[in-house]
Amino acid sequence: MLLTLTTTHRPATDLGFLLHKHPDRHQRFSVPFGEVHVAYPEATEERCTAALVLDVDPVGLVRRGQGGFALAEYVNDRPYVASSFLAVALVTVFKSAMAGTCRGHEELAATAIPLVAELPAVPARGGERLVRRLFEPLGYAVEVTPVPLDDAHPEWGAAPHVGLRLTATTRLSQLLTHLYVLLPVLDGEKHYWVDDTEIEKLLRRGEGWLGDHPERDLIVRRSLKHQARLVHPALATLAEDDPDPEAGATGDEAIPTQARRTALREHRLEAVQGALKASGARRVLDLGCGPGALLRRLLKDDYDLVVGADVSHRTLEIAHRRLRLDELHEAQRARIALWQTALTYRDRRLQGFDAAALVEVIEHLDADRLGALTANVFGVARPGTVVVTTPNAEYNVRWESLPAGAMRHPDHRFEWTRAEFATWTTAVCAEHGYAVVHHPVGEVDDEVGAPTQMAVFTRAGRSGAAGVGGATGATR
Ligand code: SAH
């Protein structure tokens, strides 16, 4: 079983840092079902290829009783095709790379670089179409080559395997994570027992991309092997759970305790709710509302109109369901709306509101798109008050389980220090005529500050910032 990873990023030999495997050395690792070798057939400044060869021990597998029916124990494709074995080998040998950790080369790990992954034999249950449907939505150029069942007997037709070549400019950690989750999906077979911990693993690895993937349900179903008892809770979690900015999808031990995450999320929502209330707004916007956690709180306050806006239609459907909008009385129902919109494009519906919240949204946008969002929110929609929250990158060292240099969520494009956030808020004020007050949210650490930073902007010529102090009080 072979996987090669190639980059033409300069210097290409940086791939060695990212994979934590030196290009000059051939390394060998043992896994429960065989051996994994990592070597570099090519390592120059211009181009570097790492090859992972997984040598499955079929006899050992039979001894461990991991085959299927009797004959399948002796005649099967397990040793040759990229399957869940390869996925396990990947996460074993490239664990840090998959987590996006690269001590001393943090920036490199966070950078999208040109990458090509090649697999000569991928089982393709569902054929080329499914291969494309799995990888193309994630931004890969996909080349699929049919593999003949037997070179000597072309009349036998194609094997149920294909050669696969994926090309993208992406972070290596993303590519490895996608392979880790999707190869077993193509295979549809899992060699190891699927239990509840699989759900947790899948949700963690799928953070930031699986929730919105058009083939999400199939991926979850196949990953968890059609076991209804397991499949449904996983789908429900993906669909219903708030995007969780503190979930470290970064390594097996990398999850800060659930309790801490939940507490911070509640703190944050409370702080934003307080700031909106203190602004005296009657009509409020929740921009990038996600599945509606803030909206639920705002509905309890006495607003004339609350609008949740998000680019993701699926997310809005979830919000609709969770807020039980269909069950509201007419008068209540008239007070809330959910709009699909891309904040990076001008949308005049967003004008005429008193206040807007952007809770854990800006860090999901690439730098150039953030400029478009800022111009739209502050320049076009121009609510009297804008409340923005974003992680404080300095605080990350206090999440013991977050590897150094890693971000809190795999979809984050950046996480700012307090100074970086202040630079942005100052520029926004200067350009669009707002004043800003910063508030820490969550437990304040003397050295690194609070885990979340909140900025409350007030449009020039409006009073109202004064009342906001109350919100900060509530967060400590
Ligand atoms: N505010 C929510 C969700 C934060 S996750 C909360 O705190 O729980 C970020 C959200 O921003 C996602 O729901 C995502 O769909 C949305 N989003 C990202 N880019 C966007 C854009 N350009 N326009 C509108 N929404 C966007």
Side-chain angles (χ1 to χ4, degrees):
M1 223 179 274
L2 173 68
L3 162 71
T4 60
L5 298 166
T6 302
T7 187
T8 48
H9 160 85
R10 295 285 189 98
T13 42
D14 274 357
L15 188 61
F17 292 122
L18 285 172
L19 291 172
H20 298 240
K21 305 284 174 283
H22 199 286
D24 291 344
R25 274 205 297 274
H26 170 168
Q27 296 184 53
R28 206 172 80 186
F29 307 84
S30 91
V31 284
F33 40 85
E35 271 189 351
V36 187
H37 303 261
V38 177
Y40 289 75
E42 181 176 25
T44 66
E45 288 267 306
E46 294 76 37
R47 204 179 141 87
C48 183
T49 300
L52 179 149
V53 180
L54 169 58
D55 210 353
V56 171
D57 168 14
V59 177
L61 280 185
V62 173
R63 280 209 206 100
R64 278 182 217 99
Q66 286 170 322
F69 59 99
L71 183 60
E73 290 185 353
Y74 297 94
V75 186
N76 66 44
D77 63 2
R78 298 297 85 194
Y80 314 109
V81 304
S83 63
S84 52
F85 286 122
L86 184 61
V88 174
L90 274 179
V91 78
T92 309
V93 173
F94 296 141
K95 182 173 173 158
S96 304
M98 199 180 285
T101 330
C102 196
R103 226 173 267 276
H105 297 86
E106 286 80 8
E107 212 181 300
L108 178 63
T111 306
I113 60 172
L115 285 167
V116 179
E118 282 185 89
L119 297 131
V122 174
R125 283 204 319 147
E128 173 171 346
R129 224 176 110 240
L130 180 62
V131 179
R132 293 191 178 281
R133 271 167 33 217
L134 290 180
F135 286 101
E136 282 175 350
L138 298 169
Y140 293 95
V142 178
E143 284 169 59
V144 178
T145 323
V147 176
L149 197 54
D150 188 325
D151 284 331
H153 297 275
E155 71 280 9
W156 289 359
H161 309 123
V162 294
L164 176 61
R165 187 182 150 97
L166 300 170
T167 309
T169 297
T170 184
R171 281 173 286 142
L172 179 66
S173 58
Q174 276 280 298
L175 170 62
L176 292 173
T177 304
H178 292 153
L179 290 172
Y180 171 77
V181 173
L182 296 177
L183 288 177
V185 169
L186 280 170
D187 186 17
E189 250 190 78
K190 274 221 170 188
H191 66 276
Y192 53 91
W193 181 242
V194 178
D195 64 22
D196 285 11
T197 64
E198 291 285 301
I199 294 185
E200 203 277 322
K201 271 193 232 164
L202 179 65
L203 294 178
R204 188 152 45 77
R205 300 285 176 198
E207 268 193 81
W209 61 274
L210 184 51
D212 285 331
H213 195 293
E215 295 298 333
R216 178 188 69 177
D217 293 3
L218 174 132
I219 294 169
V220 172
R221 235 181 306 114
R222 283 209 185 169
S223 294
L224 302 180
K225 224 185 168 180
H226 304 274
Q227 297 188 26
R229 189 178 67 79
L230 296 175
V231 172
H232 294 142
L235 281 173
T237 311
L238 267 180
E240 307 286 340
D241 210 14
D242 286 352
D244 191 342
E246 270 66 51
T250 36
D252 286 337
E253 61 302 296
I255 310 174
T257 60
Q258 185 69 32
R260 246 177 116 190
R261 281 153 52 186
T262 309
L264 177 58
R265 191 157 60 217
E266 289 307 310
H267 267 316
R268 181 159 54 228
L269 293 174
E270 194 178 317
V272 174
Q273 183 182 18
L276 290 173
K277 210 183 230 175
S279 76
R282 300 303 312 155
R283 294 158 53 87
V284 295
L285 284 167
D286 182 6
L287 302 173
C289 62
L294 178 64
L295 294 173
R296 178 178 306 168
R297 284 170 171 263
L298 298 182
L299 273 181
K300 294 188 184 132
D301 294 338
D302 172 39
Y303 292 108
D304 296 338
L305 180 62
V306 174
V307 173
D310 204 287
V311 73
S312 159
H313 184 256
R314 191 191 294 274
T315 296
L316 291 173
E317 281 176 350
I318 296 164
H320 184 102
R321 216 171 40 243
R322 292 180 76 181
L323 296 166
R324 300 180 188 278
L325 295 191
D326 289 336
E327 296 166 30
L328 293 183
H329 299 300
E330 217 170 295
Q332 279 278 47
R333 185 69 188 82
R335 290 176 54 229
I336 175 143
L338 297 176
W339 294 344
Q340 185 178 18
T341 191
L343 297 169
T344 43
Y345 293 89
R346 193 173 278 249
D347 183 344
R348 297 214 176 269
R349 288 179 300 172
L350 305 183
Q351 290 177 330
F353 283 79
D354 304 312
L358 275 163
V359 180
E360 308 295 287
V361 173
I362 59 172
E363 62 276 9
H364 289 267
L365 282 100
D366 288 320
D368 56 332
R369 307 312 296 151
L370 178 60
L373 177 143
T374 310
N376 274 332
V377 172
F378 292 91
V380 179
R382 288 190 74 68
T385 300
V386 184
V387 183
V388 178
T389 74
T390 195
N392 166 18
E394 292 164 82
Y395 191 89
N396 288 356
V397 294
R398 295 288 183 269
W399 294 119
E400 296 86 4
S401 49
L402 199 63
M407 289 196 265
R408 297 183 200 177
H409 190 292
D411 189 51
H412 285 179
R413 306 305 154 89
F414 60 83
E415 283 173 0
W416 277 336
T417 61
R418 286 168 290 176
E420 285 167 330
F421 188 42
T423 303
W424 179 77
T425 61
T426 307
V428 169
C429 289
E431 186 166 350
H432 299 288
Y434 279 77
V436 71
V437 182
H438 285 243
H439 305 271
V441 176
E443 200 184 340
V444 181
D445 181 286
D446 285 345
E447 212 179 307
V448 295
T452 294
Q453 20 191 1
M454 177 169 88
V456 180
F457 295 85
T458 310
R459 202 176 58 217
R462 270 189 90 262
S463 58
V468 177
T472 326
T475 68
R476 302 237 173 138

